[in-house]
């Protein structure tokens, strides 16, 4: 079983304008509303790649009900945990030459919410997978992922963490199977710019020393790199294509990597599938379809 967890999902409201006039009337050229949140994006891509997945997420208010409906329409009936106060956040993305983002706050979660989540995760057994991805909502401490993971990894559940900063640093103490920082996140943790591939791998090895088994580096248009628990270093350039919307591309990479690993058990094939899935989503308006991923797969080389 693969279980994804999204503590602070969203509705992503994206509008495109000819130009943005602050203080004036602006009319959209195109607009869309889609479910958002890193864990949900991972679950959507896993689902499209044919991997059974259980998607857990918190929701609140009327926007939470809209999120549930949109996920069902996308073929992913998520298992939502409801917060009584607040509402599922709305993230506004304004595209007018350059992109401006306004992210909502979301509901405030507390210890009782985490206890409910932990009870849902308690059914996971040795050999199962859990993916914790995204930022924490207000009210939760930086070690939230670590505390959720400790009892799971202790009994053989394999964990994947896609977070940043103090949240990721704390999660390393739970010894996740895989983490996926991007270049800016890795540089922030390293405290310096990382300009060469050697420097990237050295910084990734530091994260291994702190607890991560394998480190998948998302490098945007450059592709991705992987440092395995055995010290193997793999690099995979991104295929050629025009980026349409990079939101969800890194999450799709995580899902593609997991799907490739579960299907073949080989690092190179997992990395190829990860880059194919991430690139396919970057070349699409939203999370790519299965056929779009496979259309790119043969052009992705380690």
């Amino acid at each position: 079983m693969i279980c994804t967890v999204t503590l602070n999902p969203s509705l992503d409201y994206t509008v495109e304008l000819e130009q943005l006039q602050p203080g004036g009337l602006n009319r959209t050229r195109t607009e869309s509303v889609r479910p958002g949140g890193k864990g949900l994006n991972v679950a959507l891509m896993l689902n499209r790649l044919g991997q059974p997945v259980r998607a857990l997420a918190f929701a609140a208010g009327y926007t939470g009900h809209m999120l549930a409906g949109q996920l069902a329409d996308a073929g992913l009936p998520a298992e939502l945990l409801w917060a009584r106060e607040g509402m599922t956040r709305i993230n506004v993305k304004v595209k007018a030459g350059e992109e401006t983002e306004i992210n909502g706050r979301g509901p405030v979660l507390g210890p009782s919410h985490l206890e409910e989540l932990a009870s849902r995760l308690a059914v996971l057994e040795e050999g199962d997978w859990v993916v914790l991805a995204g930022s924490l909502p207000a009210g939760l401490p930086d070690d939230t992922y670590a505390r959720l993971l400790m009892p799971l990894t202790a009994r053989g559940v394999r964990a994947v963490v896609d977070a940043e900063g103090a949240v990721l640093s704390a999660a390393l103490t739970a010894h996740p199977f895989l983490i996926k920082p991007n270049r800016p996140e890795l540089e922030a943790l390293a405290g310096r710019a990382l300009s060469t591939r050697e420097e990237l791998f050295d910084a990734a090895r530091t994260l291994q020393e702190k607890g991560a088994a394998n480190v998948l580096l998302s490098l945007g248009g450059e592709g991705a790199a992987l440092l395995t628990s055995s010290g193997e270093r793999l690099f995979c350039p991104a295929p050629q294509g025009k980026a349409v919307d990079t939101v969800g591309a890194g999450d799709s990479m995580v899902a593609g990597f997991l799907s490739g690993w579960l299907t073949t058990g080989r690092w190179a094939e997992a990395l190829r599938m990860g880059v194919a899935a991430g690139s396919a989503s970057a070349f699409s308006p939203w999370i790519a379809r299965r056929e779009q991923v496979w259309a790119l797969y043969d052009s992705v080389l380690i």
Side-chain angles (χ1 to χ4, degrees), residues 100-142:
T100 300
E101 295 190 30
I102 305 172
N103 286 353
R105 177 183 176 90
V108 176
L109 303 182
S112 62
H113 297 100
L114 291 184
E115 289 173 6
E116 182 183 3
L117 175 60
S119 69
R120 303 284 184 101
L121 295 174
V123 300
L124 297 179
E125 301 174 343
E126 183 177 1
D128 287 336
W129 294 77
V130 62
V131 180
L132 298 181
S135 61
L136 300 181
L140 296 184
D142 290 338

Side-chain angles (χ1 to χ4, degrees), residues 239-256:
Q240 295 295 314
K242 180 181 179 181
V244 175
D245 192 338
T246 59
V247 175
D251 311 322
S252 296
M253 177 181 290
V254 171

Side-chain angles (χ1 to χ4, degrees), residues 9-109:
S10 64
L11 291 172
D12 289 348
Y13 177 48
T14 303
V15 298
E16 186 176 0
L17 313 173
E18 291 290 345
Q19 61 179 1
L20 179 63
Q21 299 180 9
L25 175 64
N26 295 273
R27 298 189 184 278
T28 65
R29 185 168 61 187
T30 65
E31 58 187 344
S32 65
V33 180
R34 296 191 177 99
K38 295 180 73 64
L40 291 177
N41 289 337
V42 173
L44 281 162
M45 177 55 82
L46 284 168
N47 181 269
R48 293 181 178 187
L49 292 176
Q51 296 290 347
V53 60
R54 177 188 179 203
L56 289 170
F58 280 98
Y62 68 95
T63 49
H65 290 286
M66 186 174 179
L67 174 69
Q70 288 208 330
L71 290 171
D73 289 344
L76 184 73
E79 188 176 329
L80 298 180
L81 293 74
W82 290 89
R84 292 185 178 182
E85 299 181 3
M87 58 182 250
T88 294
R89 60 184 176 151
I90 299 175
N91 292 343
V92 181
K93 304 177 188 300
V94 180
K95 297 184 177 182
E98 60 181 5
E99 183 171 314
T100 300
E101 295 190 30
I102 305 172
N103 286 353
R105 177 183 176 90
V108 176
L109 303 182

Side-chain angles (χ1 to χ4, degrees), residues 164-187:
E164 58 182 291
V167 178
L168 175 58
S169 294
L172 296 178
T173 61
H175 301 288
F177 177 84
L178 180 75
I179 62 173
K180 190 212 67 68
N182 57 30
R183 184 194 291 270
E185 292 165 352
L186 187 62
E187 289 179 334

